[in-house]
Amino acid sequence: MTTAIMTRPAARTTVAATNPEYWCAPCGTFHAGPCATVADRQLGDFLARMVREADARVPAEPPGAA
């Protein structure tokens, strides 16, 4: 029994693939991946919104107080 090995041509590399760094305006540096500053800001915005929503559900007066 014989086995045939099939190969694929090598994928072309682009300039972006060989040098994936980009200028990040929020933190003013270069990155090869996602910016931690932007992720931290997004997390802070999300947590602040969750706190506001939770505070809105708390009644103004305790039950039974009148």
Side-chain angles (χ1 to χ4, degrees):
M1 180 162 108
T2 59
T3 303
I5 298 174
M6 299 177 66
T7 60
R8 288 185 253 169
R12 295 183 189 203
T13 58
T14 62
V15 174
T18 57
N19 186 11
E21 291 188 350
Y22 65 94
W23 177 255
C24 180
C27 68
T29 59
F30 285 94
H31 297 291
C35 177
T37 304
V38 173
D40 289 344
R41 183 179 45 80
Q42 289 173 341
L43 176 62
D45 293 345
F46 173 72
L47 292 174
R49 184 181 53 126
M50 297 297 292
V51 168
R52 283 191 307 271
E53 290 174 1
D55 286 348
R57 290 191 298 264
V58 175
E61 294 183 12

